[in-house]
Amino acid sequence: MLDPGGIPITTGINNQSHKPAVASDGTNWLVAWSDQRKSRYVDIFGARVSAGGVVLDPAAIPICTLSSSFQMDPAITFDGTNWLVVWDDGRNGGGTNDVYGARVTVGGTVLDPAGIAISTAASNQILPSVASNGAGSFVVWTDTRVPGDANDIYGARVTVEGAVLDPAGIPISTAPLVQSNPFVALNGENYFTVWSDGRNGNDDIYGARVSGSGSVLDPGGIALSTAPW
């Protein structure tokens, strides 16, 4: 344990909480979190931390600070040039959330202060996860766009320039009942997305590979754990 007392990354007023995320650029880490220092609404703030445990941005970096909506549940990857931070975003109203993101340079500059709209489909897009292959990033999320259906898993590729290559979303799993809480990682060639899956009447774990070109290689999903209760 190198930091037995913990490193105080942020101690701003009000709450800094709710699923902090972290990724490394090979030199420093970027930590992002949900933050209520500005108002009753929740924003996304971040801070870089050096390999020696020094917080490089003690005042924190405002990544997304809209004053009239909630931004929550951040996730981060490093694409070889910048960090990409993604989150749930309520800016479009109607009581629903979308997925937005922003690139942050290694120097701590937010390149997309208005945010990048990654998915603004009907109903909710929530709980994103993100990974990078060094030439771009792949964002996945829980999606409720299909009327009368339960949650599905969708994704989209984002270039290092911040362009969304799949604005309609890639359907990764649209199996019956609930698919939710996805996470994604890269094995050097393909992305692998895993999620909680209710198709069998209880919660199991399924996954699917997605190529760098956005092709779902396992459209029926791979059953990773279907153990009984």
Side-chain angles (χ1 to χ4, degrees):
M1 178 69 72
L2 299 179
D3 309 290
I7 301 169
I9 295 171
T10 179
T11 57
I13 63 171
N14 297 325
N15 291 315
Q16 290 78 46
S17 62
H18 208 271
K19 292 181 61 179
V22 63
S24 173
D25 66 359
T27 300
N28 299 316
W29 291 284
L30 179 67
V31 184
W33 60 86
S34 302
D35 197 300
Q36 286 184 297
R37 71 182 64 193
K38 288 173 63 72
S39 72
R40 69 183 181 87
Y41 293 102
V42 181
D43 300 314
I44 304 296
F45 276 72
R48 295 168 299 148
V49 180
S50 75
V54 176
V55 179
L56 303 177
D57 309 291
I61 302 166
I63 297 173
C64 183
T65 58
L66 297 180
S67 61
S68 59
S69 61
F70 288 83
Q71 290 79 45
M72 301 178 65
D73 299 321
I76 310 175
T77 194
F78 185 71
D79 67 12
T81 302
N82 301 300
W83 283 291
L84 177 65
V85 183
V86 298
W87 61 86
D88 299 355
D89 197 301
R91 72 179 68 188
N92 295 318
T96 62
N97 287 330
D98 298 309
V99 175
Y100 276 71
R103 296 166 299 152
V104 181
T105 71
V106 295
T109 299
V110 178
L111 298 178
D112 311 291
I116 301 165
I118 296 172
S119 179
T120 58
S123 195
N124 282 305
Q125 290 77 49
I126 58 174
L127 301 172
S129 178
V130 61
S132 176
N133 62 6
S137 299
F138 188 54
V139 186
V140 299
W141 61 87
T142 303
D143 197 297
T144 63
R145 72 181 65 188
V146 179
D149 193 9
N151 300 347
D152 296 318
I153 306 297
Y154 276 70
R157 295 166 297 152
V158 180
T159 70
V160 294
E161 295 81 18
V164 179
L165 298 180
D166 311 291
I170 299 168
I172 299 171
S173 179
T174 58
L177 303 177
V178 174
Q179 291 81 49
S180 62
N181 299 303
F183 289 89
V184 63
L186 180 82
N187 72 351
E189 180 180 3
N190 298 312
Y191 295 103
F192 192 54
T193 302
V194 297
W195 61 88
S196 175
D197 195 300
R199 73 181 71 185
N200 298 318
N202 55 281
D203 285 336
D204 297 317
I205 303 298
Y206 275 70
R209 297 165 299 154
V210 180
S211 72
S213 63
S215 295
V216 179
L217 303 179
D218 309 291
I222 301 169
L224 301 174
S225 178
T226 58
W229 291 76

